[in-house]
Amino acid sequence: MFKDHLLHSKKKITYAQNREDLILEAFFPDIKKGTYVDVGGYDPDEDSVTKLFYLKGWSGINIEPQEQGYRRFVSKRKRDINLQYGVGIKPGRLTLRVYRSGGLSTFSDEIKNQYSERDNNDTAEYEDKVVQVKTLKNILDECNIRQKINFMKIDVEGYEYEVIQGNDWAKYRPDVLCIESNHILKDWRPTLEKHNYVKMFFDGINDYYVQKDSDAAKNFDFSEHVLIKKGGGVRYDDYVAMVKMNNTIEEYHTQYLKDVAKVKHLEDENTKLKETLNSPKALVRRLTALTLRDKKHG
């Protein structure tokens, strides 16, 4: 069955949208308990880049300005520091546009305008909310981060430049950065290059930057760690759907075997009845057996 096959195959479950967790894991193959910072965490389970690491024993900081997502982090991530802030180039208050699809919510006026020009059900309905904004440096200072940050994920729907400009890159230097790069409105890449980060990989949505000459840079091998050792990965929601289907098939199969057994029993009884009716001696024996049974239970 599928569930058993998956357990014995090389495929590994990914909780992220685009296998970001498996790719990041390839930078840290031997670290059992590390530290992450997730800017724009969205949800602790759905399309989560950090859930795989949390399940492994890692912990870190999740920053999510949307109320619903923040409350889910508080409920699900007891080891983590969970914060409800926007992250920008300076402290203050900004208007967050929250769309029906929470993953598209943004502070960027340009992104808001782009979505307004499209006929899309995910962005047709929205609510504007004013939220508190802090710089990444402010947040990390307040959290009193002393341990090494293994990786930082930044996914803020067009506001990546402002997040990056608001950090102290001399003080807070994650080994690896995973940054959504499919809509760069202001080019944040020169800032990272200035602080000795080099682009290591692009997964079709995100750029992965690594500190020059770091162990993470030396460890990374996408083919070896993601494709070969992890079989490319299978999404968690696909895994759940297939397991449910597998369980349903097993239930139908079990019921089918029971029904077959019932039919076989009835066929056997029918055969015995025909033999009895066709044989006077067998009929007498049958009637005698039934009489003795009635007397015994009477």
Side-chain angles (χ1 to χ4, degrees):
M1 292 299 179
F2 168 78
K3 184 164 54 177
D4 297 326
H5 170 73
L6 181 62
L7 291 174
H8 292 92
S9 73
K10 291 182 178 180
K11 285 188 176 296
K12 186 166 184 177
I13 294 173
T14 171
Y15 301 93
Q17 179 184 18
N18 198 40
R19 299 186 299 183
E20 292 93 336
D21 48 1
L22 300 188
I23 295 169
L24 284 165
E25 194 179 37
F27 287 99
F28 312 103
D30 302 318
I31 298 180
K32 295 181 179 180
K33 290 187 178 183
T35 301
Y36 50 74
V37 174
D38 193 349
V39 184
Y42 177 55
D43 190 273
D45 296 321
E46 182 182 347
D47 291 339
S48 173
V49 171
T50 58
K51 180 175 180 177
L52 173 66
F53 294 91
Y54 187 81
L55 293 176
K56 289 175 60 174
W58 288 44
S59 59
I61 301 172
N62 304 299
I63 310 169
E64 174 52 49
Q66 297 183 77
E67 177 76 17
Q68 185 176 2
Y70 163 71
R71 290 193 178 280
R72 281 179 55 78
F73 273 108
V74 172
S75 173
K76 295 290 192 81
R77 299 290 186 87
K78 302 299 184 183
R79 285 200 313 272
D80 287 352
I81 297 172
N82 304 296
L83 303 171
Q84 187 183 5
Y85 295 126
V87 183
I89 200 167
K90 61 182 180 180
R93 299 178 74 81
L94 289 173
T95 300
L96 177 69
R97 180 157 293 181
V98 180
Y99 295 99
R100 176 191 297 178
S101 174
L104 297 176
S105 300
T106 182
F107 289 110
S108 168
D109 290 333
E110 187 169 341
I111 294 292
K112 294 174 187 176
N113 291 334
Q114 289 178 11
Y115 288 157
S116 296
E117 295 170 358
R118 299 176 186 174
D119 184 15
N120 189 314
N121 289 334
D122 289 332
T123 57
E125 297 180 11
Y126 60 83
E127 182 179 1
D128 286 338
K129 294 186 176 182
V130 176
V131 301
Q132 185 177 2
V133 174
K134 295 188 176 185
T135 68
L136 191 52
K137 177 186 181 302
N138 292 156
I139 291 172
L140 297 178
D141 282 344
E142 290 173 7
C143 291
N144 196 25
I145 291 294
R146 297 181 182 275
Q147 65 270 38
K148 180 179 184 179
I149 300 172
N150 296 102
F151 76 83
M152 178 184 292
K153 186 219 83 179
I154 303 174
D155 181 358
V156 287
E157 299 302 312
Y159 220 61
E160 288 78 15
Y161 176 86
E162 286 77 5
V163 171
I164 288 170
Q165 291 301 116
N167 187 36
D168 181 348
W169 292 101
K171 184 175 182 181
Y172 299 113
R173 297 184 55 77
D175 282 344
V176 180
L177 297 164
C178 172
I179 308 174
E180 188 175 59
S181 58
N182 57 348
H183 44 212
I184 299 177
L185 303 181
K186 297 179 183 178
D187 197 353
W188 39 262
R189 292 169 294 189
T191 300
L192 298 184
E193 293 165 4
K194 175 183 175 182
H195 292 283
N196 293 317
Y197 280 91
V198 293
K199 181 177 174 179
M200 178 68 71
F201 189 70
F202 174 65
D203 66 13
I205 296 177
N206 307 279
D207 280 337
Y208 296 78
Y209 278 78
V210 186
Q211 287 197 54
K212 285 183 179 179
D213 302 321
S214 66
D215 289 338
K218 297 172 184 176
N219 289 332
F220 183 73
D221 186 327
F222 176 79
S223 297
E224 174 67 20
H225 290 286
V226 180
L227 298 182
I228 298 175
K229 289 187 176 179
K230 297 163 190 173
V234 57
R235 278 181 60 91
Y236 178 70
D237 48 0
D238 292 334
Y239 166 75
V240 170
M242 286 185 281
V243 168
K244 286 181 178 178
M245 181 182 295
N246 180 68
N247 290 340
T248 301
I249 292 172
E250 288 181 348
E251 289 171 5
Y252 278 122
H253 183 63
T254 300
Q255 186 61 46
Y256 168 75
L257 293 177
K258 289 180 180 179
D259 292 341
V260 168
K262 286 180 181 179
V263 171
K264 182 65 168 58
H265 174 72
L266 292 173
E267 289 177 345
D268 291 342
E269 288 296 309
N270 186 50
T271 300
K272 290 178 182 178
L273 180 60
K274 286 181 179 179
E275 292 174 349
T276 299
L277 294 174
N278 293 331
S279 171
K281 290 183 179 180
L283 180 58
V284 171
R285 288 196 298 271
R286 178 69 172 169
L287 291 172
T288 301
L290 291 173
T291 302
L292 291 174
R293 187 192 67 180
D294 292 343
K295 288 182 176 180
K296 181 178 180 182
H297 295 283

